[in-house]
């Protein structure tokens, strides 16, 4: 009789042990499953966010202009109901409208649930990347267009209006990549649309633009812009508040959807990014300027795609280089598109006399220059 009892007791112990292990693993499995479902919601929400929310709140939740940022502990700490109601119904007395279909909006309950998961648990640096992997290219680094109506409106502000209008146009073409379309600043450069900057005199601002700021990514622009252009840019910065008071503001580019499987579409994206982001320093068509000539046999024959990609991600490595790092500002999709476009230039790239750019021009120091006959 002892053996059946021992066998039964042993079986019971095995069963209890197995149940304990299963219970422990089940809890872990449930936590993993919950995390996986949450990540799926965040991934799907990224495209929804970029399409409907990024125009006001920024591609990484940083907030644009008077629109509040979303990447902060206050928002992450809000409870589900508060966040859901805010998105679904909007906020009275603000520009935040109701987004739920029952409120006349465009989002379903499921989509708003996804956005709540994104706001509470999402990693914002990944939002742009997640959206880009779905072909949703966020607003990023593109130069805003200045409409003729805006030029006319600024020119009508007074005797110096035409100078301010010229300055706004120059700012849109050359400065928004680092300083933002509304002068709000970025991880690359300081804010310019501020009372602190307007408290400076024109000579100081002109000198900063002309000579750059040592130890920062602010390069000297006296080789890329004419003195009268730098003066117009300084005057615009000093009177930006008056331009805004007249209702004139730069328009942010719209978000676009591209087919990542279409090689021509990706190449076109790279060309647009290069034109709006890189020509400021590297010149029109990559012919060189403040930065080296990209469209040159000297550059393209010596740099493989991996080297070009690293230069975009990490920025310049030379001690005096002002090449900013774009790794945190461009998605992998955008970087790949840029590399493809730059490589496409090689077939017709010319040999350039001074491929390293105007900052390295002038023949070098006197003791290295060739003797004149």
């Amino acid at each position: 009789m002892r053996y059946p009892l021992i066998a039964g007791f042993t079986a019971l112990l095995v069963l209890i042990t197995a149940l304990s292990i299963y219970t422990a693993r089940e809890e872990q499995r449930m936590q993993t499953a919950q995390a996986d479902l949450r990540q799926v919601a965040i991934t799907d929400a990224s495209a929804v966010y970029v399409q409907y929310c990024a125009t006001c709140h920024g591609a990484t939740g940083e907030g644009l202009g008077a629109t509040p940022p979303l990447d902060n502990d206050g928002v992450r700490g809000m409870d589900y109901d508060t966040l859901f109601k805010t998105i679904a119904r909007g906020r009275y007395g603000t520009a935040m409208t109701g987004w739920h279909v029952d409120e006349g909006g465009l989002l379903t309950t499921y989509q708003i649930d996804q956005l709540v998961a994104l706001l509470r648990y999402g990693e914002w640096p990944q939002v742009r990347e997640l959206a880009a992997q779905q072909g949703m290219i966020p607003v990023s680094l593109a130069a805003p267009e200045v409409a003729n109506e805006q030029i006319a409106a600024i020119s009508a502000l007074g005797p110096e209006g035409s100078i301010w209008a010229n300055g706004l146009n120059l700012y849109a073409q050359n400065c928004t990549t680092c300083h933002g379309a509304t002068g709000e600043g970025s991880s690359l450069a300081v804010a310019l649309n501020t009372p602190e900057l307007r408290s400076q005199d024109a000579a100081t601002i002109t000198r900063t633009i002309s000579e750059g700021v040592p130890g920062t990514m602010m390069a000297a622009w006296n080789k890329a812009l004419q003195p009268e252009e730098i003066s117009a840019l300084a005057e615009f910065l000093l009177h930006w508040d008056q331009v805004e008071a007249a209702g004139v503001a730069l328009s942010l580019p719209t978000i676009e959807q591209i087919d990542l499987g279409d090689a021509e579409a990706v190449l076109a994206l790279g060309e647009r990014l290069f034109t709006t982001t890189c020509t400021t320093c590297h010149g029109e068509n990559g012919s060189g300027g403040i930065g080296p000539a990209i469209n040159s046999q000297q550059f393209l024959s010596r740099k493989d795609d991996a080297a070009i990609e690293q230069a975009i991600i990490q920025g310049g490595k030379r001690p005096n280089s002002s090449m900013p790092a774009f790794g945190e500002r461009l998605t992998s999709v955008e970087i790949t598109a840029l590399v493809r476009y730059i490589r496409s230039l090689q077939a017709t790239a010319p040999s350039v006399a001074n491929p390293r750019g105007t900052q390295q021009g002038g023949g070098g120091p006197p003791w290295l220059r060739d003797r004149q006959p």
Side-chain angles (χ1 to χ4, degrees):
M1 290 292 294
R2 292 180 58 189
Y3 292 108
L5 287 174
I6 293 174
F9 183 71
T10 301
L12 180 60
L13 288 176
V14 170
L15 179 59
I16 292 174
T17 303
L19 286 173
S20 299
I21 295 174
Y22 175 82
T23 301
R25 289 183 176 178
E26 178 65 9
E27 183 177 356
Q28 182 179 4
R29 189 190 67 81
M30 291 294 292
Q31 292 175 351
T32 301
Q34 184 178 17
D36 290 343
L37 289 172
R38 183 182 296 164
Q39 188 57 47
V40 169
I42 292 171
T43 301
D44 292 343
S46 64
V48 176
Y49 176 86
V50 171
Q51 184 173 4
Y52 297 112
C53 314
T55 302
C56 294
H57 291 284
T60 55
E62 71 274 21
L64 297 177
T67 306
L70 300 176
D71 179 14
N72 60 69
D73 292 336
V75 173
R76 279 186 287 272
M78 287 185 182
D79 60 81
Y80 168 85
D81 288 338
T82 299
L83 287 173
F84 187 95
K85 290 177 182 177
T86 299
I87 299 171
R89 302 176 184 174
R91 284 200 167 186
Y92 179 76
T94 74
M96 178 65 182
T97 187
W99 282 92
H100 196 281
V101 290
D102 291 344
E103 302 290 336
L106 301 172
L107 301 181
T108 65
T109 297
Y110 177 70
Q111 289 173 311
I112 295 178
D113 279 340
Q114 291 176 314
L115 285 173
V116 171
L118 171 63
L119 294 174
R120 296 183 71 188
Y121 307 109
E123 295 291 335
W124 282 104
Q126 299 175 8
V127 172
R128 284 169 49 84
E129 183 66 34
L130 291 170
Q133 294 297 336
Q134 299 181 44
M136 297 290 300
I137 306 302
V139 175
S140 64
L141 307 179
E145 293 185 2
V146 180
N148 292 332
E149 294 80 6
Q150 293 176 307
I151 295 294
I154 301 173
S155 299
L157 292 179
E160 296 183 333
S162 59
I163 297 177
W164 302 350
N166 186 29
L168 172 65
N169 197 39
L170 288 165
Y171 180 87
Q173 294 175 9
N174 299 289
C175 311
T176 53
T177 295
C178 293
H179 293 284
T182 60
E184 72 276 15
S186 71
S187 60
L188 300 178
V190 300
L192 297 180
N193 188 6
T194 65
E196 290 76 18
L197 183 132
R198 288 188 285 272
S199 68
Q200 301 180 30
D201 56 71
T204 299
I205 298 174
T206 299
R207 185 169 58 253
T208 300
I209 299 171
S210 299
E211 301 175 3
V213 180
T216 74
M217 290 183 291
M218 177 62 184
W221 283 84
N222 54 3
K223 299 292 180 67
L225 298 177
Q226 297 298 316
E228 60 271 18
E229 292 177 317
I230 293 176
S231 178
L233 185 52
E235 288 298 325
F236 162 69
L237 294 176
L238 283 169
H239 298 89
W240 200 333
D241 55 337
Q242 297 180 44
V243 172
E244 282 189 330
V248 178
L250 293 175
S251 300
L252 292 172
T254 57
I255 295 165
E256 61 179 317
Q257 174 83 51
I258 70 168
D259 180 2
L260 298 181
D262 184 343
E264 291 299 320
V266 174
L267 188 64
L269 170 63
E271 183 176 7
R272 288 195 298 274
L273 285 168
F274 188 90
T275 300
T276 57
T277 304
C278 308
T279 54
T280 298
C281 293
H282 292 288
E284 187 176 357
N285 299 320
S287 57
I290 293 176
I294 298 297
N295 189 8
S296 69
Q297 287 297 332
Q298 292 95 322
F299 178 88
L300 293 169
S301 63
R302 297 172 184 173
K303 301 287 186 181
D304 60 17
D305 290 357
I308 296 174
E309 180 179 302
Q310 285 305 304
I312 296 171
I313 294 173
Q314 298 179 3
K317 298 179 181 179
R318 299 187 307 277
N320 295 323
S321 174
S322 59
M323 169 71 181
F326 287 97
E328 294 184 359
R329 302 201 70 198
L330 292 174
T331 65
S332 65
V333 172
E334 292 168 306
I335 292 172
T336 297
L338 258 178
V339 173
R340 288 187 186 179
Y341 171 70
I342 292 171
R343 181 57 60 197
S344 74
L345 300 174
Q346 186 169 5
T348 58
S351 179
V352 178
N354 177 29
R356 295 188 62 197
T358 55
Q359 285 187 325
Q360 294 80 34
W367 58 89
L368 292 180
R369 297 177 189 171
D370 294 335
R371 290 182 178 273
Q372 297 296 322

